[in-house]
Amino acid sequence: MRSPRALAWLFAALLVPLAAIGVVGLRAMALDLDGARARYVEQASTYARVVVEQLDGLVEALPRDEAALKWRANAAPELLEPAARTVSLESSADRSVRETASAEIDAFALAGREADITRRLAELTAREDRPALAAWALGWIAARAERAGELDLARSSWKRIVERFPEDRDERGLRRALAARAELARVDGAGLEVLEPLHADALADRRSILDSATATFALSVAQRIAALAPERAAGLEHAALEAARELRFQAAWTQGISDWLARGAPNGPQAFPLPADPTLAPGGASRVVVAAVAEGDGWQGTALELDALGTKALERSDPRGWQELGFAASIEDGSGRTLVGVPANRDAPSALERARAPLGEVFVRAHGLGFAEYEAGERRRFLGIAVLGGVALLAATLAALATVRTLQREARLAHEREQFVAAVTHELKTPIASIRLLAELLENGDVEPERVREFGARTVRESDRLGRLVDSVLRFARGQSALDPTSMASLDLAELARAAVESVAPLARERGFDLRVDAPQALPIRGDRDALLGAISELVDNATKYGTPAGGVDVVVRRAESVAELSVLDRGPGVPAAERERIFEPFHRVGDELVRERPGVGLGLALVRGVALAHSGSVTCEPRDGGGSRFVLRIPLGTPA
């Protein structure tokens, strides 16, 4: 032991200085990386403050911004300009006539009176006093004609709607002329020259933020255009945003702007929320900045959405070429959602600055664009140093580990031998003491005649116990896997199971266990009868040691493909997963030898594994369903001697 220990100390003396040098180097690189992060954050903070200053300047200059929306309000204050656009919807009288006509036509259709349907629709299209009803009838004629394959009639009907009823709207508020133009474009397979003007007219025709029919129609046309020319998708979205600006501002007027004006527009420009409009502005800004100036008995001012304001601020805040320095900026809301600018990589160093009033709920984040490359370079440098150091330390480390493992193995074997000696001593003393006590009682004649037979039987059992212990030790000393080839014979595993249970039954009954055997058929194997009988008996005895008497012990013999399988099942506490393999090692027992409740020396299961291996088989420990353990001995069927 002295030589390995001295060698271990020598390796430790060599490794400690080398490890210290490595730690110092890694620490230096970590500090260098932390310093780089600090420098990035410092520069990003400067950039973020520049953007905030630009936002302040743009808010102050908002009344003079040519791109801002101009507005006027009276003293009420009610919005005068831009004037709210109104929509002339279908009158109640027209709706009543249309519903009556629709019911009449449905009745004709159910009766199969196609001629009456055609006649009735023709009558409705001639109603000069009811243009909305006539346009509706023309649309129905066009739809029926298209289904019938009469495309010329369908085209002429749609064209009549466009020409005769350019301003008529359906019950949803959508102009029938726009819908008819879309149908003509679809049937004729029209291209961009037709679809783009149609999209522009639809955007211009939207009269209210609540006009979802026109908004949805415009979106469908935009999708058809984008399918033909994907590169125009961004322009279509921009056009939708521009068309929605005025409507969204009008809708936002009643959500706080009028109250602010009624209080005299205090504290200069203010920011107000815009209503959601996913059909036309799915990615639009959520706030509008409004500036107001008193005008006679009313107000005039300007309004600009936050995305336009933020875009200008980012464009004007790069006089030093922050992009060239590897930085970018974005404007976020309180939840971290990017409103304008380049979204930040959350893993890169960044600086966050809160904008000043009226944009107190807006934040500017500046972040490094090239930090990922810098970190990658540092990692490559670190990897190179680590590889060089690792090569230098590898041999020494492996040798040190091997030495330590050797020392640990020797220490473990020494501990197991100490446990073995303690267990053997205890196990030998117990039956010897019992035999001596019984013999002394018999010698002194202090035993009643009727109990002499009982004392004799107990003496025999203690002697058998002592013999089994000595036999286990001798077998292990000889080598548990050594079998005499001449002892190999044809055997029946089911018969061996019954014989083993019969040999353990008296001791099991004394411990309160009920042994049950389930071996419905003979399973022929080749092996050493005494060795296999001892192994099976050891498994059953082990189950009565650690199981629960109420659950009993089951011995089950089955065929599993080409293997004969014997299972011993108990209802004890089970074996921890970490111990299920180690319990088959010599001298190993779960727990400490001085505190174990069950007798033993830790050789029984090791001998069972040796017998199994000698027969080209195996033995395993598994958890049993419902609690307990399941020990399985597997022996090949018909294994030759």
Side-chain angles (χ1 to χ4, degrees):
M1 289 293 290
R2 291 182 179 179
S3 178
R5 290 183 182 274
L7 185 59
W9 281 109
L10 177 60
F11 278 125
L14 292 174
L15 288 174
V16 168
L18 292 175
I21 294 173
V23 169
V24 171
L26 293 175
R27 178 61 178 167
M29 285 191 292
L31 290 175
D32 187 25
L33 187 59
D34 290 341
R37 283 182 173 270
R39 291 192 297 273
Y40 260 75
V41 171
E42 182 179 356
Q43 294 182 13
S45 297
T46 302
Y47 186 19
R49 287 192 293 270
V50 170
V51 178
V52 170
E53 292 172 0
Q54 288 295 328
L55 280 173
D56 288 345
L58 289 171
V59 171
E60 292 177 2
L62 184 60
R64 302 184 299 276
D65 194 328
E66 295 182 357
L69 178 68
K70 302 298 187 293
W71 59 268
R72 289 179 61 252
N74 59 22
E78 296 175 347
L79 185 63
L80 301 177
E81 293 180 4
R85 290 176 282 183
T86 59
V87 178
S88 177
L89 298 177
E90 182 182 37
S91 67
S92 59
D94 286 341
R95 185 185 311 111
S96 176
V97 174
R98 176 175 57 79
E99 290 174 353
T100 301
S102 178
E104 185 179 2
I105 292 172
D106 287 340
F108 288 155
L110 290 175
R113 297 163 59 181
E114 293 296 324
D116 289 333
I117 295 175
T118 302
R119 175 186 55 77
R120 184 59 176 141
L121 289 174
E123 292 175 354
L124 293 173
T125 59
R127 294 288 298 269
E128 297 292 343
D129 59 328
R130 301 283 188 187
L133 189 61
W136 169 78
L138 282 171
W140 201 330
I141 291 174
R144 295 182 74 245
E146 184 184 10
R147 288 196 298 270
E150 301 175 6
L151 295 183
D152 290 340
L153 177 57
R155 288 190 183 93
S156 65
S157 299
W158 285 321
K159 288 178 180 178
R160 289 176 64 187
I161 293 174
V162 175
E163 295 169 358
R164 289 181 54 191
F165 311 105
E167 300 299 328
D168 183 66
R169 298 179 183 274
D170 61 17
E171 63 276 8
R172 302 169 299 165
L174 177 64
R175 283 171 57 194
R176 297 185 191 275
L178 290 176
R181 287 167 61 186
E183 295 297 332
L184 285 170
R186 177 181 60 80
V187 172
D188 294 337
L192 299 177
E193 70 283 355
V194 174
L195 293 175
E196 287 186 331
L198 179 60
H199 180 254
D201 290 345
L203 293 179
D205 191 60
R206 193 179 184 200
R207 301 304 178 100
S208 166
I209 197 73
L210 302 177
D211 184 3
S212 60
T214 305
T216 304
F217 175 80
L219 182 61
S220 67
V221 177
Q223 291 171 347
R224 291 166 64 181
I225 296 173
L228 295 174
E231 69 280 1
R232 303 198 183 189
L236 294 172
E237 183 176 354
H238 177 73
L241 288 171
E242 287 298 315
R245 281 183 60 195
E246 189 174 306
L247 297 176
R248 298 177 74 199
F249 178 71
Q250 292 167 354
W253 189 262
T254 60
Q255 299 184 11
I257 301 177
S258 59
D259 293 337
W260 173 61
L261 291 177
R263 290 185 281 109
N267 304 321
Q270 293 295 306
F272 296 93
L274 288 175
D277 186 16
T279 56
L280 277 184
S286 59
R287 303 179 71 80
V288 61
V289 181
V290 180
V293 178
E295 179 192 40
D297 60 350
W299 298 88
Q300 67 172 353
T302 53
L304 195 62
E305 292 185 9
L306 180 59
D307 61 341
L309 198 69
T311 300
K312 288 186 179 182
L314 294 176
E315 290 174 352
R316 297 183 183 184
S317 60
D318 198 20
R320 295 174 49 192
W322 290 100
Q323 293 279 346
E324 296 180 3
L325 293 176
F327 287 90
S330 60
I331 296 177
E332 304 177 351
D333 60 14
S335 64
R337 179 173 63 96
T338 299
L339 303 176
V340 185
V342 180
N345 179 1
R346 299 298 178 179
D347 295 331
S350 63
L352 195 66
E353 292 283 339
R354 181 189 289 270
R356 292 182 280 274
L359 303 177
E361 298 180 10
V362 172
F363 297 85
V364 176
R365 184 182 298 275
H367 51 94
L369 294 173
F371 192 78
E373 290 76 8
Y374 174 82
E375 274 194 318
E378 288 298 301
R379 290 193 185 96
R380 287 193 295 270
R381 185 162 68 93
F382 169 77
L383 182 60
I385 295 175
V387 169
L388 291 176
V391 171
L393 291 173
L394 181 61
T397 303
L398 291 177
L401 288 175
T403 302
V404 171
R405 288 177 64 87
T406 300
L407 294 175
Q408 290 177 337
R409 184 167 58 253
E410 291 182 0
R412 180 168 59 84
L413 291 175
H415 177 67
E416 290 176 347
R417 282 194 294 269
E418 292 174 358
Q419 287 187 322
F420 171 69
V421 171
V424 169
T425 302
H426 175 74
E427 291 294 312
L428 288 174
K429 285 183 177 180
T430 300
I432 290 174
S434 297
I435 293 172
R436 182 181 179 85
L437 176 62
L438 293 171
E440 288 178 351
L441 292 174
L442 291 173
E443 181 184 21
N444 295 332
D446 295 335
V447 182
E448 299 175 359
E450 60 271 14
R451 298 194 64 187
V452 171
R453 182 180 296 275
E454 177 187 347
F455 276 38
R458 290 179 59 184
T459 303
V460 171
R461 286 199 298 272
E462 293 297 329
S463 300
D464 290 341
R465 176 181 172 185
L466 184 61
R468 285 197 301 272
L469 174 62
V470 174
D471 183 60
S472 295
V473 174
L474 291 176
R475 276 194 293 154
F476 182 77
R478 289 195 304 266
Q480 62 267 41
S481 61
L483 292 177
D484 184 359
T486 61
S487 65
M488 303 295 284
S490 297
L491 303 171
D492 177 10
L493 186 60
E495 185 273 329
L496 285 175
R498 286 187 284 269
V501 168
E502 184 178 349
S503 68
V504 181
L507 183 59
R509 283 193 296 271
E510 184 178 323
R511 293 172 178 170
F513 280 82
D514 180 22
L515 303 183
R516 297 177 291 272
V517 180
D518 181 5
Q521 62 178 2
L523 290 178
I525 60 173
R526 286 190 62 82
D528 186 319
R529 176 181 177 81
D530 292 339
L532 288 172
L533 187 62
I536 299 171
S537 300
E538 180 63 38
L539 291 177
V540 178
D541 180 67
N542 188 71
T544 63
K545 283 183 181 180
Y546 300 100
T548 302
V553 176
D554 293 288
V555 180
V556 180
V557 180
R558 292 287 186 272
R559 175 173 183 154
E561 297 181 353
S562 61
V563 175
E565 189 175 274
L566 181 142
S567 301
V568 179
L569 302 96
D570 63 61
R571 286 296 182 188
V575 181
E579 298 283 345
R580 289 173 192 155
E581 182 63 26
R582 294 201 62 198
I583 58 175
F584 294 102
E585 297 177 4
F587 313 127
H588 181 78
R589 302 185 69 204
V590 179
D592 188 87
E593 193 63 49
L594 298 179
V595 298
R596 289 192 183 96
E597 299 178 356
R598 301 290 189 269
V601 296
L603 288 179
L605 293 179
L607 291 171
V608 173
R609 169 170 281 186
V611 170
L613 293 176
H615 288 81
S616 301
S618 65
V619 62
T620 58
C621 174
E622 305 167 358
R624 182 183 183 184
D625 292 341
S629 298
R630 176 175 180 257
F631 286 82
V632 184
L633 176 66
R634 298 177 177 88
I635 303 296
L637 288 168
T639 303

